[in-house]
Amino acid sequence: MTSFESVTLEVSDPTTADAFYQAVGLGPYVDVRAASDVTTTGFRGFALSLVTSQPGNVDALIAAALDAGATTLKPATKSFWGYGGVVRAPDGTICKIASSAKKDTGPATRHIDQVALLLGVADVKASKRFYVERGLAVARSFGGKYVEFDTPTSAVTLALYPRRALAKDTGVPQEGTGSHGIVLAGAAGPFTDPDGFTWHARSGDRTHIVQ
């Protein structure tokens, strides 16, 4: 089985971006490095999903994000599936913070139970085939609506969403041009997937990058 190892965000200000992700608790999950000269506009086609155990934790994580320079895309609110909100990090990365619970069962903390990288793709079924052909195993799949891969060696879960649905879910228009501003690493790389997401070959143990 091919592995998915790590996520590196390409940002214009690595020091500021790193400070943000450390403050929110995402330091163990993502690396940052200086961006290339490619211009990016609009939706970059991905989001980070932070799952926590209760609404109070959602509020605590969103407050930490806003204090560290994030802006609100969707205020935290209850819904039929739970409680959550969406913020945009100073480097432009969209972070969805949510809990399936609707009531707190203890004191609020900033503990993150799961982090997922959600890739917004043009054709979920085609992208699923592309990744399966390169050795990634599917953990869950719901037709053309959602695919989650089995990523036991990564701190981050990898999943596919329709681009339009992901944009709507995170509160932004789906249009966007230029670089995605993200690089994935794994044993199957290097390659570029059908939606332009770049993979590099795994280069040993994950190390924290700030350039």
Side-chain angles (χ1 to χ4, degrees):
M1 181 176 68
T2 295
S3 61
F4 164 59
E5 300 294 339
S6 64
V7 176
T8 300
L9 301 173
E10 296 183 318
V11 301
S12 60
D13 185 342
T15 300
T16 298
D18 183 63
F20 172 82
Y21 292 112
Q22 295 295 336
V24 180
L26 284 172
Y29 299 95
V30 299
D31 295 321
V32 297
R33 72 180 187 189
S36 64
D37 294 331
V38 178
T39 301
T40 299
T41 61
F43 183 41
R44 287 160 54 187
F46 73 91
L48 293 174
S49 172
L50 288 65
V51 178
T52 188
S53 62
Q54 60 181 6
N57 293 8
V58 173
D59 290 335
L61 286 164
I62 288 178
L66 296 177
D67 288 344
T71 56
T72 300
L73 290 176
K74 280 189 173 183
T77 186
K78 288 183 180 179
S79 69
F80 72 93
W81 52 261
Y83 182 83
V86 184
V87 299
R88 193 195 301 273
D91 66 272
T93 297
I94 294 172
C95 298
K96 178 182 178 181
I97 304 171
S99 171
S100 61
K102 296 183 180 180
K103 294 183 179 180
D104 290 333
T105 57
T109 73
R110 296 180 182 176
H111 180 73
I112 299 170
D113 295 327
Q114 181 189 31
V115 174
L117 172 62
L118 310 178
L119 301 183
V121 301
D123 186 328
V124 170
K125 292 182 179 180
S127 291
K128 173 186 174 182
R129 288 195 298 270
F130 177 88
Y131 280 113
V132 168
E133 288 170 358
R134 280 151 185 80
L136 271 74
V138 174
R140 293 192 296 167
S141 179
F142 301 94
K145 295 182 177 180
Y146 179 78
V147 173
E148 182 178 303
F149 294 101
D150 186 16
T151 55
T153 61
S154 173
V156 179
T157 300
L158 179 65
L160 306 176
Y161 262 92
R163 179 184 175 97
R164 182 177 182 180
L166 182 59
K168 181 179 180 180
D169 188 43
T170 54
V172 297
Q174 67 170 319
E175 293 77 20
T177 61
S179 170
H180 291 295
I182 188 171
V183 175
L184 293 74
F191 61 81
T192 300
D193 81 359
D195 294 273
F197 289 101
T198 301
W199 283 66
H200 287 179
R202 180 179 57 192
S203 56
D205 293 337
R206 176 181 178 268
T207 56
H208 191 61
I209 302 171
V210 181
Q211 298 178 351

